[in-house]
């Protein structure tokens, strides 16, 4: 089994090196983008009269920008504040341009972007490749150039481009390509977030080489929910398809497993640790969807953890992958710069108490991560020095049910 896994890892790493030259050449997203996105927590709330604090409105994004600047989120690396669906008026204006809902965004998107920029942050916005967005607002079909110019004129820094309501797969692909080119023609640096492969997968295998030539990051799987079953399904899907998706990820283009839901209601502490650790291993964009105005100190500590973020943002830009699975334990690794490795031990068991998992260090890095010796540092669930090990050593870690132990292994 070890020989077979070593061969798989060599193939993934070699393919990743070849794919790096095929990324979208807009100079953006050299590491996975980080920020905040309203959708999972705030959905399509439009009744500001009865629920002003949770309504998708100018007020929500201004307040979130204030918190991100004042409470360490921006300094931790979370630089984008992103508007998702339901920001628009029901119709375009008399010139055919998209417009914000005038009651919920009375100052307009340009003024909101200026405010966000004044806080040292960047603004993201949402549209759709089809005739309508997923929530039924005007889509960008047949308006790609106009909408790109509009977003650029407003000072937008990221576009999340959804895939609802496109009549054919050919129109879907054409729309994603055309919007990418239209954004580049504006001359403004706008990160391009796609859902292209997710909408292809029910019918055909995505061409990730092509997708990376047009998109900075892309969704592959269903929307994340505030639940362990949702997090688990994303991890299971990623492991199952890692041979086709890991090799393409790298600077300029990333697989996006969707939002961080840490700080909401559905995850235990161990499950929150698992999401943060595994999103770091997967080199995932880190877009929180929570209420930063009301978040626990524990969730804030986890989301702002400098050691975990450093792994996520590692400049080598290689996505991690599952090495082995044994009795509900999963062992994952991610190559890092400086010949280091991030290692995650995930306990998928949902019954009982903490369990020990022991594995030979020769499993890591094709046998080279700990050759002739290595230091092991535990990052999560708490930071501690695990000591120095020889190449022939085994390492034992204790992991809570549905929890993860995240390690950094460095050759010495």
């Amino acid at each position: 089994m070890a020989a077979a896994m070593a061969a798989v890892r060599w193939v993934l790493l070699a393919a990743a090196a070849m794919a790096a030259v095929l990324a979208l050449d807009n100079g953006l997203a050299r590491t996975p983008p980080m920020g905040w996105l309203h959708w999972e927590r705030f959905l399509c709330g439009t009744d500001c009269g009865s629920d002003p604090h949770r309504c998708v409105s100018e007020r929500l994004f201004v307040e979130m920008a204030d918190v991100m600047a004042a409470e360490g989120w921006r300094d931790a690396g979370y630089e984008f504040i992103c508007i998702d669906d339901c920001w628009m008026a029901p119709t375009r204006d008399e010139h055919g341009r998209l417009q914000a809902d005038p009651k919920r965004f009375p100052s307009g998107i340009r003024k909101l972007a200026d405010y966000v920029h004044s806080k040292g942050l960047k603004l993201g916005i949402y549209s759709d490749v089809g005739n309508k967005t997923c929530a039924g607002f005007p889509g960008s079909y047949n308006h790609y150039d106009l909408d790109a110019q509009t977003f650029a004129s407003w000072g937008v820094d990221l576009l999340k481009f959804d895939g609802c309501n496109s009549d054919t797969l050919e129109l879907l692909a054409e729309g994603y390509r055309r919007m990418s080119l239209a954004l580049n023609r504006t001359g403004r640096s706008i990160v391009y977030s796609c859902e292209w492969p997710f909408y292809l997968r029910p019918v055909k295998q995505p061409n990730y080489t092509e997708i990376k030539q047009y998109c900075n990051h892309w969704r592959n799987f269903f929307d994340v929910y505030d639940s362990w079953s949702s997090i688990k399904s994303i991890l299971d899907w990623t492991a199952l398809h890692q041979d086709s998706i890991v090799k393409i990820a790298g600077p300029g283009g990333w697989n996006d497993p969707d939002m961080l839901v840490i700080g909401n209601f559905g995850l235990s502490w161990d499950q929150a640790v698992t999401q943060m650790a595994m999103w770091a291993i997967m080199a995932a964009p880190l877009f929180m969807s929570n209420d930063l105005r009301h978040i626990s100190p524990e969730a804030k500590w986890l989301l702002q953890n400098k050691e975990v973020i450093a792994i996520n943002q590692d400049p080598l830009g290689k996505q991690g992958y599952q090495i082995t699975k044994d009795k509900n334990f999963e062992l994952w690794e991610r190559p890092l710069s400086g010949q280091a490795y991030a290692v995650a031990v995930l306990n998928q068991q949902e019954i009982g108490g903490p369990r020990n998992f022991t594995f030979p260090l020769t499993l890591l890095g094709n046998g080279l991560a700990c050759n002739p010796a290595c230091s092991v540092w535990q990052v999560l669930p708490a930071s501690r020095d695990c000591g120095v090990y020889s190449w022939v050593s085994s390492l034992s870690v204790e992991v809570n049910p549905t929890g993860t132990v995240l390690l950094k292994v460095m050759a010495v």
Side-chain angles (χ1 to χ4, degrees):
M1 181 185 72
M5 290 310 303
V8 168
R9 288 198 293 269
W10 279 119
V11 168
L12 290 174
L13 293 173
M18 294 176 61
V21 300
L22 300 174
L24 170 61
D25 189 21
N26 63 3
L28 304 176
R30 306 309 295 170
T31 60
M34 298 173 59
W36 181 91
L37 180 66
H38 92 248
W39 185 256
E40 195 286 326
R41 179 63 183 262
F42 294 95
L43 299 172
C44 194
T46 57
D47 188 352
C48 295
S50 64
D51 201 0
H53 294 285
R54 291 186 286 268
C55 171
V56 177
S57 67
E58 181 179 297
R59 172 180 174 174
L60 175 68
F61 297 97
V62 165
E63 292 181 356
M64 219 58 69
D66 289 342
V67 173
M68 289 178 73
E71 297 188 10
W73 300 101
R74 178 193 62 202
D75 296 339
Y78 295 97
E79 63 174 342
F80 290 96
I81 181 163
C82 298
I83 308 168
D84 209 290
D85 206 346
C86 304
W87 63 270
M88 301 170 190
T91 59
R92 292 175 175 266
D93 70 13
E94 64 272 20
H95 303 291
R97 295 174 300 204
L98 293 173
Q99 55 184 340
D101 184 279
K103 291 184 178 179
R104 293 183 287 118
F105 293 86
S107 302
I109 301 300
R110 174 77 236 193
K111 288 287 183 66
L112 178 58
D114 289 345
Y115 186 81
V116 167
H117 294 156
S118 77
K119 296 293 181 177
L121 298 164
K122 297 178 180 180
L123 184 70
I125 207 163
Y126 169 100
S127 189
D128 192 283
V129 71
N131 290 300
K132 292 184 179 296
T133 71
C134 298
F137 291 87
S140 288
Y141 179 68
N142 273 341
H143 297 85
Y144 301 120
D145 284 289
L146 177 60
D147 289 355
Q149 293 161 13
T150 300
F151 298 145
S153 73
W154 287 344
V156 164
D157 305 291
L158 179 149
L159 173 63
K160 176 181 175 180
F161 208 44
D162 216 334
C164 285
N165 301 307
S166 192
D167 291 338
T168 68
L169 292 183
E170 289 72 24
L171 288 174
L172 179 88
E174 179 189 0
Y176 274 108
R177 295 186 201 103
R178 288 184 60 186
M179 181 56 85
S180 178
L181 298 172
L183 291 172
N184 283 348
R185 281 194 295 269
T186 68
R188 183 170 179 80
S189 295
I190 300 176
V191 173
Y192 187 37
S193 170
C194 302
E195 313 236 342
W196 188 354
F198 171 68
Y199 286 91
L200 284 180
R201 273 198 174 271
V203 180
K204 63 184 293 188
Q205 172 70 21
N207 180 345
Y208 283 103
T209 301
E210 179 186 28
I211 288 167
K212 191 173 182 179
Q213 290 175 324
Y214 290 98
C215 304
N216 291 119
H217 52 97
W218 48 85
R219 287 273 309 284
N220 295 305
F221 193 60
F222 295 105
D223 287 1
V224 70
Y225 279 63
D226 187 14
S227 72
W228 171 243
S229 62
S230 176
I231 302 301
K232 183 178 182 299
S233 68
I234 291 169
L235 295 175
D236 290 346
W237 186 93
T238 301
L240 182 65
H241 295 88
Q242 66 181 16
D243 288 352
S244 64
I245 67 170
V246 167
K247 60 189 177 185
I248 201 66
W254 311 95
N255 292 295
D256 182 1
D258 211 8
M259 296 162 276
L260 294 168
V261 294
I262 297 162
N264 290 326
F265 309 98
L267 301 184
S268 70
W269 173 249
D270 289 295
Q271 293 158 3
V273 167
T274 290
Q275 189 183 28
M276 193 68 185
M278 296 307 298
W279 265 234
I281 288 285
M282 293 187 292
L286 299 182
F287 284 94
M288 306 174 290
S289 191
N290 48 24
D291 192 340
L292 298 176
R293 300 167 299 184
H294 309 286
I295 193 166
S296 71
E298 295 80 11
K300 183 178 180 181
W301 174 86
L302 180 58
L303 288 162
Q304 292 189 4
N305 188 292
K306 292 180 179 179
E307 292 179 281
V308 186
I309 290 172
I311 291 171
N312 175 266
Q313 296 288 296
D314 186 81
L316 188 63
K318 292 188 181 298
Q319 181 171 334
Y321 39 82
Q322 186 188 101
I323 301 173
T324 188
K325 185 172 183 177
D326 181 34
K327 297 178 181 176
N328 287 319
F329 279 107
E330 296 181 14
L331 181 66
W332 295 61
E333 72 175 9
R334 177 183 173 185
L336 303 176
S337 53
Q339 296 182 314
Y341 285 81
V343 177
V345 182
L346 167 60
N347 180 3
Q348 288 269 24
Q349 188 158 298
E350 300 182 26
I351 192 171
R355 300 165 64 222
N356 287 319
F357 180 70
T358 302
F359 61 96
L361 290 169
T362 51
L363 278 180
L364 304 178
N366 294 301
L368 301 176
C370 198
N371 187 5
C374 60
S375 65
V376 180
W377 183 265
Q378 180 178 293
V379 177
L380 289 175
S383 184
R384 69 181 183 93
D385 187 353
C386 298
V388 176
Y389 294 80
S390 73
W391 181 60
V392 295
S393 299
S394 290
L395 182 65
S396 183
V397 294
E398 182 181 87
V399 194
N400 291 343
T402 68
T404 296
V405 169
L406 180 64
L407 307 166
K408 186 174 182 181
V409 177
M410 297 155 284
V412 295

